[in-house]
Amino acid sequence: MATIKATCPMCGDVDLTPRQVRVRVTEAIRESDSHSSYVFGCPQCRVDVEKPADEEVVRLLSSAGVRIERIAVPAEAREIHDGRPIGYDDLLDLVLFLETHDAISEDVALASGR
Ligand SMILES: [Zn+2]
């Protein structure tokens, strides 16, 4: 089994097995914003460490048997949105609106001609 050498910010160099390391590949909305990292729990101090990984590091860790975790951004996140973000006041307005749900059914009835 391959031994992977990594550096813990607290303990310095540590030896890991491929099962102790994970690679995360996150697809961002724009290709240039995508990023990859590798994550391990330090066997000495137990701190979780995450470090950036370029394509070469991802390829090397993958060939050593490290599990690749791909995080895909859903298609909806790639849509372009206009307008300001929904705020706390908007949610309160929605709650107040829904409390008068009878008005909605009346509106639907009027719209459908009933
Ligand atoms: Zn450590």
Side-chain angles (χ1 to χ4, degrees):
M1 183 179 290
T3 300
I4 297 165
K5 293 196 179 291
T7 303
C8 169
M10 309 283 279
C11 309
D13 291 343
V14 292
D15 291 339
L16 304 163
T17 66
R19 295 184 67 143
Q20 293 175 298
V21 183
R22 283 177 296 140
V23 171
R24 285 189 187 138
V25 177
T26 304
E27 294 177 3
I29 293 172
R30 288 180 296 186
E31 187 70 27
S32 60
D33 292 336
S34 296
H35 69 277
S36 302
S37 61
Y38 64 96
V39 184
F40 63 93
C42 176
Q44 294 177 23
C45 69
R46 304 289 180 207
V47 168
D48 289 332
V49 180
E50 181 170 6
K51 295 191 170 190
D54 60 19
E55 287 182 26
E56 180 68 12
V57 171
V58 170
R59 192 185 61 74
L60 286 171
L61 290 174
S62 176
S63 67
V66 171
R67 193 181 78 193
I68 307 290
E69 178 182 302
R70 296 195 182 276
I71 302 169
V73 176
E76 292 82 6
R78 296 173 192 264
E79 297 173 352
I80 297 171
H81 299 275
D82 294 331
R84 62 181 178 82
I86 294 174
Y88 189 71
D89 287 339
D90 298 318
L91 291 176
L92 288 175
D93 287 346
L94 176 63
V95 168
L96 293 173
F97 183 75
L98 292 175
E99 285 180 354
T100 59
H101 65 279
D102 289 343
I104 296 173
S105 61
E106 290 173 13
D107 289 344
V108 170
L110 285 174
S112 63
R114 290 186 209 164

